[in-house]
Amino acid sequence: MMTGLFISELERTFKRKKTAAVLAVYAGLLAFIWFFFQRGGISFFDADHDVKIDSLNSAPLLLRDLSFAITFIVIPMFVADSFNGEYTSGALRMVLIRPHHRVKLFFVKWAIQCLLVFLILCITWLVGTCLGRMVMPHVNETTFLGGQTLGTVGALLYSLKFYGICFCIFIAVISIGSILSVLMPNSILSYVATIGALIGSVYVSDKLSFFFSVTDSVFHELSRPNSEFLVTLLFPILLISLIINLFVWKKKEWVG
């Protein structure tokens, strides 16, 4: 039954016009950014550190230019449409009249959102890595923020770790957005509330600035030799948000 529920949610997700529209916009933005990316030849680790783009560092730097769109456009729209749009349109009621456990349905919807972002990151990484090797200046080693000079294998591992941490942050954004989408009365307010929460996190604590500037924060974390960012901050936030999600999801009157 879990597999059938997953396939059903996947079909509903890709049948939505908003899903196709957002993916098309992202694809266009990816092509647009890459065009100016390779013509300019210069990018940034953060506002204070610029860097020449080369064949080894192009993938992380490409994501830096696209992470804002993923955080503030792609994820909030996907999550609001999945967790709120189906409720307000009545589609979710048709799903819940069947004997599906609410917790299973939540995790299926949450997993689909994570899968969408994972696919987007995979495509971005492939474009940045492959086109970087073909188009950008070829080098045998490159230097990242903090003075880390890495060869081909080291730069590849750095890139994968960079994308992996960004993915964990995006999962946390999905989890926070899903809470707000369940609580808000319509999709527009869900979208606005999610963006407001991400921006507002900067004013709550400087440690939460990674929600606003994802890749800049990851570059800084990777420049520290013994960073415990994932264990001490990101994973606890993810766990707490999932617990809140389950509580709200079970208490919400979906079919009333």
Side-chain angles (χ1 to χ4, degrees):
M1 180 176 289
M2 193 72 169
T3 303
L5 195 60
F6 186 88
I7 294 174
S8 175
E9 177 66 23
L10 196 62
E11 289 176 346
R12 292 201 310 277
T13 297
F14 280 97
K15 284 181 179 178
R16 297 186 197 118
K17 293 181 179 179
K18 286 183 182 178
T19 301
V22 172
L23 290 176
V25 169
Y26 184 81
L29 186 61
L30 177 59
F32 178 80
I33 292 294
W34 178 260
F35 176 76
F36 287 99
F37 188 77
Q38 56 96 13
R39 285 178 64 89
I42 298 292
S43 187
F44 302 87
F45 292 127
D46 59 23
D48 300 320
H49 300 88
D50 60 357
V51 58
K52 290 184 178 181
I53 307 168
D54 57 48
S55 59
L56 298 181
N57 65 15
S58 55
L61 294 173
L62 179 61
L63 182 58
R64 182 186 187 273
D65 289 345
L66 289 161
S67 62
F68 189 86
I70 296 174
T71 307
F72 290 94
I73 299 176
V74 174
I75 293 177
M77 290 194 71
F78 278 160
V79 172
D81 204 32
S82 176
F83 285 88
N84 187 285
E86 283 195 346
Y87 168 61
T88 54
S89 68
L92 192 58
R93 299 182 185 184
M94 299 303 295
V95 177
L96 286 172
I97 61 176
R98 300 176 181 179
H100 297 309
H101 196 285
R102 286 191 176 195
V103 172
K104 287 183 179 180
L105 182 58
F106 164 75
F107 276 113
V108 165
K109 295 178 77 65
W110 180 81
I112 293 295
Q113 299 306 305
C114 294
L115 177 62
L116 284 171
V117 174
F118 179 76
L119 292 175
I120 286 173
L121 289 179
C122 285
I123 292 171
T124 305
W125 182 82
L126 284 172
V127 170
T129 301
C130 296
L131 291 184
R133 298 291 175 85
M134 293 186 292
V135 178
M136 304 311 297
H138 178 76
V139 296
N140 294 318
E141 60 181 29
T142 189
T143 302
F144 290 98
L145 186 66
Q148 301 180 73
T149 300
L150 303 173
T152 302
V153 176
L156 177 62
L157 293 175
Y158 181 100
S159 175
L160 291 173
K161 188 174 182 180
F162 182 88
Y163 272 73
I165 296 176
C166 288
F167 180 54
C168 291
I169 295 175
F170 291 143
I171 291 177
V173 174
I174 290 170
S175 301
I176 293 171
S178 62
I179 296 172
L180 297 172
S181 294
V182 171
L183 296 175
M184 293 293 107
N186 59 62
S187 298
I188 296 177
L189 288 178
S190 299
Y191 179 81
V192 173
T194 301
I195 292 178
L198 296 175
I199 296 175
S201 66
V202 178
Y203 299 97
V204 174
S205 172
D206 290 340
K207 293 183 178 181
L208 299 178
S209 62
F210 62 86
F211 281 125
F212 184 78
S213 55
V214 176
T215 52
D216 290 21
S217 299
V218 176
F219 275 127
H220 279 276
E221 289 302 322
L222 290 177
S223 70
R224 301 183 179 116
N226 297 307
S227 174
E228 297 181 350
F229 166 72
L230 290 175
V231 176
T232 61
L233 188 59
L234 186 55
F235 285 165
I237 289 174
L238 180 56
L239 179 61
I240 292 171
S241 63
L242 284 175
I243 292 172
I244 296 174
N245 259 306
L246 291 175
F247 176 79
V248 174
W249 185 263
K250 294 171 85 171
K251 293 296 182 180
K252 179 76 175 181
E253 185 54 59
W254 295 106
V255 296

